[in-house]
Amino acid sequence: MNQSLGIMTLNPQVTNSYFLGIAKQSLSYPIDLYLFSPKGISPLNETVDGFYFNKESQSWENEAFEIPEYIYDRTYYQKDIQSQQAKAVVQWLKNQRHIRFLGYGLPNKWHLYEKLKKTPISPFIPETYLLTDGNHLLNLLTEHKDIIIKPVDGAHGFAIYHLVESRGGIVVRTTKKEGIMEQSFQRKEIFIKWVNRILQQHTFICQKRILNLTKEEAPFDLRILLNKNAHGEWREFQRAIRVGEPQAILTNISMGAAYKSYSDWKTLHDSSWDYIEEELTDIMQEMPLILEEHFSALFEIGVDIMIAEDQSLWILDMNSKPGHKVVDALGQEKLPSLYKAPLDYCEFLASQSLTSLRRGDF
Ligand SMILES: Nc1ncnc2c1ncn2[C@@H]1O[C@H](COP(=O)(O)OP(=O)(O)O)[C@@H](O)[C@H]1O
Ligand SMILES: [Mg+2]
């Protein structure tokens, strides 16, 4: 019997090239592929309104179906009510014993930090503070001078502020669609008021700003995409340098940064690459296992790593729902293998549960 795998996303789009890529590869797998939104689920009769990939016409077709046995969760939530409702449905799904997620996701940045600072990769995790109020931030700024604050549940560079203390006062910069917005505060009271206002919107963490700039004064970092192969083993799938715009705060692609080939970068920029690569290999071997041990099973991870000016490495961010455009940009020849990965891993999970069934483990 075929496995059923559902790609889940808040607003399914039949034109999504990543999902279509997976769908085209599914032709050679004993897998029925679906695309749906948690908003399309009716928990009462456990059915979904969504799309089914018709292997004959090779297109997504509107259909109502039972909740697939395997789920590839690609939902990004916002703050609105629809998102909150969808989140509750997904939580309910995760608790269904007959449904398996390829990956169960990671907690927010603060919970991640609290756990990871007690693990062997702690030397690579920047010291992080949970902001309590305006005075707290003022003290952190006095101590560290140049800091970044970001929402615990942020993504894509959203609501990230860069703060510096200078003679004239405090300068706050953030990235908007139109570019960088800057505001300076001469008076502490007004600054504290501003902080308390943004703290009402999000819970923030604070870190020292780690810097490495190009000659054009653009920030850059390293993005590594890890995923599991057909045997359920972790592998590095793609490595890239992300370069932000000159003077920018962020290296998120959604905020105007660009991918550059890692090997080209290495030849153009003098650095202790041997040392850096040795450390990277260690981190990449340990990190996914540590994450799965402390949180839950994962299928893929996108890691943001900053190489500071003194060559020290810092893990800035870990994403359990990473983008895949990096492969389009730098690893075209690997695209078929990228699209096969969720199908292979679904098959692997199915074979696992069969062997444990045979052993009577359930
Ligand atoms: N401590 C920091 N020092 C320097 N840059 C940072 C720091 N924290 C975040 N950034 C910049 O902001 C970007 C987004 O931060 P990140 O923690 O990855 O959150 P998000 O989930 O929004 O991607 C990073 O890729 C990096 O360019
Ligand atoms: Mg990030």
Side-chain angles (χ1 to χ4, degrees), residues 29-77:
Y29 288 77
I31 292 179
D32 294 324
L33 195 66
Y34 300 89
L35 174 62
F36 69 96
S37 165
K39 294 187 278 188
I41 296 181
S42 138
L44 271 185
N45 41 20
E46 301 206 7
T47 55
V48 197
D49 247 330
F51 300 94
Y52 166 69
F53 190 71
N54 183 327
K55 291 188 178 177
E56 258 152 47
S57 66
Q58 299 203 23
S59 62
W60 294 109
E61 289 176 3
N62 226 218
E63 196 166 283
F65 42 88
E66 279 180 31
I67 299 175
E69 195 180 347
Y70 293 90
I71 293 181
Y72 182 22
D73 182 4
R74 297 289 301 168
T75 45
Y76 298 108
Y77 304 104

Side-chain angles (χ1 to χ4, degrees), residues 20 25 73 152 294:
L20 262 178
Q25 293 294 335
D73 182 4
V152 286
H294 286 87

Side-chain angles (χ1 to χ4, degrees), residues 157 159-160 173-177 179-181 248-250 255:
I160 295 189
R173 299 197 311 144
T174 192
T175 315
K176 297 267 157 123
K177 268 196 212 76
I180 300 252
M181 299 285 152
I249 306 164
L250 309 169
M255 294 291 193

Side-chain angles (χ1 to χ4, degrees), residues 109 148 150 154-158 160 207-210 221 242 249-252 304 306 316-317 319:
K109 294 183 203 292
I148 294 277
K150 49 190 161 186
H156 310 302
F158 172 74
I160 295 189
Q207 296 169 342
K208 213 170 133 153
R209 188 179 190 207
I210 301 161
D221 69 1
R242 300 188 303 183
I249 306 164
L250 309 169
T251 50
N252 298 75
D304 302 339
M306 194 102 183
L316 272 194
D317 192 24
N319 304 278

